């Protein structure tokens, strides 16, 4: 198994949002049934390679069934809002490490970047501008961004490319006004955690992707436990 490179970045981005357009789009929303799946396995125990990435805030107290249901309903709304705003991404409801509902977006890297590059395409900026509005409307969601490549090329190429692509997405969202404190992990995994067969062209395309996770922050979990989460 290839060695993966895991970097957690503390983003210090001072960018000016000068062209963050807002455009209504239609995404693909999968699995929007209500409520949290308590005690479930992480939908973000991602991929077919046997390696795992953990999504979810560290919490010190148990989350009751009522709190989990409130978080599930909140994430249903977040998923629906995201699918309505972001045209070129797959939107799914999955389960985080705490057994709580979270939202996963998958962007095809080919739509975001030119081959071998990490500068965002113009169309990608439009989608990310719309997505930035979702994040600003839901400031109690924590955000992880993960970059992936296919298995073509070496780790020396794929690991920094995937890291730079994840970072480019985070920086552009920050330039559109998303608080950098909302980003918890911005990580490049190279060719780790494939979601399809790298032996086929279609599989390699699926593996070249950027995944974004919106999950319950400690503040959201506390509000849910207190019964005040809306």
């Amino acid at each position: 198994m290839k060695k993966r490179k895991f970097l957690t970045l503390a983003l210090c981005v001072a960018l000016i949002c000068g062209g963050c357009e807002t455009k209504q789009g239609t995404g693909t929303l999968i699995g929007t049934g209500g409520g949290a799946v308590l005690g479930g396995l992480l939908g973000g125990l991602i991929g077919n390679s046997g390696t795992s990435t953990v999504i979810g805030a560290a919490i010190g107290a148990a989350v009751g069934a009522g709190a989990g249901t409130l978080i599930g309903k909140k994430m249903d709304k977040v998923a629906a809002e995201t699918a309505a705003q972001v045209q070129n991404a797959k939107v799914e409801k999955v389960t985080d490490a705490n057994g709580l509902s979270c939202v996963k977006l998958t962007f095809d890297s080919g739509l975001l970047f030119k081959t071998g590059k990490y500068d965002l395409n113009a169309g990608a900026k439009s989608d990310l501008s719309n997505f930035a509005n979702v994040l600003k409307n839901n400031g109690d969601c924590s955000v992880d961004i993960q970059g992936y490549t296919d298995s073509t090329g070496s780790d020396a190429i794929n690991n920094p490319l995937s890291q730079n692509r994840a970072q480019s997405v985070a920086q552009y969202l920050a330039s559109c006004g998303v608080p950098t404190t909302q980003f918890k992990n911005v990580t490049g995994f190279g060719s780790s955690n494939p979601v399809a067969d790298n032996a086929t062209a279609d599989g390699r395309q699926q593996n070249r992707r950027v995944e974004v996770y919106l999950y319950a922050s400690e503040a959201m979990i506390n509000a849910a436990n207190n019964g005040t989460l809306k």
Side-chain angles (χ1 to χ4, degrees):
M1 183 182 297
K2 292 184 177 180
K3 182 181 179 181
R4 72 183 184 188
K5 182 179 180 182
F6 187 96
L7 296 175
T8 301
L9 299 184
L11 290 175
C12 297
V13 183
L15 300 173
I16 299 173
C17 180
C20 298
E21 310 156 357
T22 300
K23 176 175 68 68
Q24 190 76 6
T26 305
T28 303
L29 177 59
I30 300 174
T32 58
V37 183
L38 294 176
L41 291 175
L42 171 63
L45 292 180
I46 307 159
N48 303 318
S49 66
T51 53
S52 302
T53 51
V54 177
I55 305 296
I59 55 176
V63 180
T69 298
L70 288 177
I71 291 172
K73 290 179 178 178
K74 166 78 172 183
M75 290 302 177
D76 285 343
K77 295 176 183 178
V78 172
E81 182 181 357
T82 303
Q85 291 290 330
V86 183
Q87 185 172 8
N88 294 306
K90 181 171 71 173
V91 182
E92 303 172 80
K93 284 285 297 300
V94 294
T95 307
D96 74 7
N98 300 312
L100 300 172
S101 291
C102 65
V103 177
K104 173 185 175 183
L105 281 78
T106 303
F107 292 92
D108 184 333
S109 285
L111 298 178
L112 295 177
F113 311 99
K114 293 180 180 179
T115 303
K117 305 294 183 181
Y118 55 89
D119 299 324
L120 287 164
N121 294 327
K125 290 180 180 180
S126 178
D127 271 336
L128 292 175
S129 294
N130 294 335
F131 183 44
N133 291 330
V134 176
L135 296 181
K136 288 185 286 186
N137 290 340
N138 296 280
D140 54 356
C141 287
S142 293
V143 179
D144 282 7
I145 301 175
Q146 301 178 355
Y148 294 94
T149 68
D150 62 31
S151 62
T152 303
S154 66
D155 284 353
I157 295 172
N158 290 332
N159 288 344
L161 178 61
S162 64
Q163 178 67 49
N164 287 332
R165 286 179 167 180
Q167 179 74 11
S168 290
V169 171
Q171 287 179 339
Y172 189 77
L173 291 171
S175 79
C176 291
V178 179
T180 57
T181 53
Q182 218 167 334
F183 301 110
K184 303 306 177 184
N185 299 288
V186 180
T187 312
F189 288 92
S191 60
S192 300
N193 302 322
V195 295
D197 187 356
N198 274 304
T200 68
D202 180 65
R204 289 191 295 273
Q205 180 179 354
Q206 292 180 60
N207 290 331
R208 296 189 297 267
R209 67 200 190 276
V210 173
E211 297 176 352
V212 184
Y213 292 85
L214 286 72
Y215 56 94
S217 65
E218 285 193 65
M220 183 189 294
I221 292 170
N222 290 336
N225 277 329
N226 294 332
T228 58
L229 180 65
K230 303 298 183 181

